[in-house]
Amino acid sequence: MVNLLKDYVRRGRIVWLHFKARRLKEIDLPFGTTVIVAPHPDDEVFGCGGLMQRLTAQGHEVHIVFMTGGEGSHRNCCELPEDQIKEARRKLACQINPMLGVEVSHLHFLNYPDGGIKKESGETMHLKELMELLNPSTIFVPHWGEGWPDHIQTSSILKEIISNDVKIYEYCVWMWYYSVWHLDWEQAQILRMTTLEHQQKLKAINYYTITMAPCGQPWSGVLPRVFIESAKWSTELYFSTFKGNRTNL
């Protein structure tokens, strides 16, 4: 009963967010190299599946950086080895993202531990070096209200290590699911997907969420129904945020 009530509130909040977003301006598409930073394989599609298609169709270079392999998705499910889960989820990412215009050579896999992303990790130096190599003009990171520590840490780390001439946007994955009401609507922008873009995003979401592991559950784990529903909206919500300052790591 409690869970049903929570889901009712979540759905009501999602309707309210859609209502608030309906008159927002379209996102100013970035030029040059764009990097989407995903804590786990699938976050890039949930948050930016339409954007990826729009940018690549217009000839912009898009790279995706995966902080972890998402190997923690079955910790409360079965005894599958985490290395096997990581390999499978990375393989899925390599199959799915080209459907949205991002070639496999533009997918970059780091080795932060799933559930343990921290700035103090040695991977942060690798992340910094990768950012300097890619030299993006725009970076997309998870929204501050995502709820999951990996998402919050990913956003925090990127904001610290990038140069102050890089534009930062926050994208929404779990923000829809958590009780975040006070949003900076003045910095909010949307991407209204075309019918084709939306269909391709739904196809990619389905690929991530119904491809089964040997235990009979999706490789991405069992995701809440309300969460999946929110990810299938035909509009993507983004928030322009402050520029970071480069730090010595």
Side-chain angles (χ1 to χ4, degrees):
M1 183 66 180
V2 174
N3 287 336
L4 287 175
L5 179 59
K6 287 183 177 179
D7 282 349
Y8 179 80
V9 173
R10 288 177 180 125
R11 286 189 171 92
R13 179 177 164 277
I14 290 169
V15 170
W16 174 77
L17 288 172
H18 288 183
F19 177 80
K20 289 283 290 184
R22 75 194 191 285
R23 293 184 179 178
L24 293 174
K25 68 175 183 178
E26 286 277 337
I27 188 170
D28 298 322
L29 291 181
F31 296 91
T33 300
T34 295
V35 172
I36 298 167
V37 186
H40 317 95
D42 69 10
D43 292 320
E44 80 288 0
V45 168
F46 288 134
C48 305
L51 178 75
M52 293 154 58
Q53 296 178 74
R54 186 74 59 85
L55 289 175
T56 55
Q58 294 184 2
H60 300 304
E61 185 173 322
V62 177
H63 291 258
I64 301 173
V65 176
F66 297 97
M67 300 286 276
T68 79
E71 65 272 14
S73 59
H74 285 238
R75 286 175 183 159
N76 296 319
C77 169
C78 59
E79 297 182 357
L80 282 173
E82 293 198 349
D83 285 346
Q84 181 182 354
I85 298 170
K86 179 188 295 187
E87 180 181 358
R89 294 192 66 176
R90 287 177 171 176
K91 183 178 180 181
L92 277 176
C94 291
Q95 294 169 338
I96 292 170
N97 282 285
M99 295 164 45
L100 304 179
V102 181
E103 55 194 85
V104 173
S105 62
H106 286 184
L107 306 181
H108 310 273
F109 299 96
L110 296 177
N111 286 297
Y112 285 94
D114 188 1
I117 296 177
K118 295 181 180 179
K119 179 187 174 185
E120 294 75 20
S121 169
E123 284 299 288
T124 302
M125 181 58 71
H126 297 154
L127 175 62
K128 178 176 181 289
E129 291 170 350
L130 179 59
M131 288 298 137
E132 291 176 345
L133 176 65
L134 296 177
N135 191 28
S137 59
T138 311
I139 294 178
F140 288 79
V141 299
H143 188 267
W144 62 264
E146 290 286 273
W148 285 100
D150 277 353
H151 288 232
I152 295 170
Q153 287 298 313
T154 293
S155 182
S156 177
I157 292 170
L158 265 296
K159 289 173 183 177
E160 286 193 45
I161 70 173
I162 64 172
S163 62
N164 60 10
D165 58 348
V166 178
K167 181 68 176 178
I168 303 174
Y169 285 95
E170 293 179 337
Y171 65 87
C172 303
V173 180
W174 285 95
M175 188 278 290
W176 306 101
Y177 191 77
Y178 286 92
S179 185
V180 182
W181 294 88
H182 301 291
L183 300 171
D184 189 359
W185 290 106
E186 291 185 1
Q187 300 302 319
Q189 300 175 41
I190 56 174
L191 177 80
R192 293 183 179 90
M193 285 177 272
T194 65
T195 299
L196 180 58
E197 289 169 345
H198 189 216
Q199 289 175 344
Q200 284 296 102
K201 177 171 179 173
L202 294 179
K203 183 178 179 181
I205 288 174
N206 287 339
Y207 208 130
Y208 264 132
T209 56
I210 67 175
T211 304
M212 298 297 174
C215 65
Q217 300 295 347
W219 284 109
S220 293
V222 179
L223 298 170
R225 180 176 296 180
V226 176
F227 169 79
I228 297 295
E229 291 172 359
S230 68
K232 293 184 176 181
W233 188 31
S234 62
T235 300
E236 292 175 346
L237 178 62
Y238 299 97
F239 292 84
S240 177
T241 186
F242 66 86
K243 297 183 174 76
N245 294 312
R246 186 175 298 279
T247 60
N248 295 320
L249 299 176

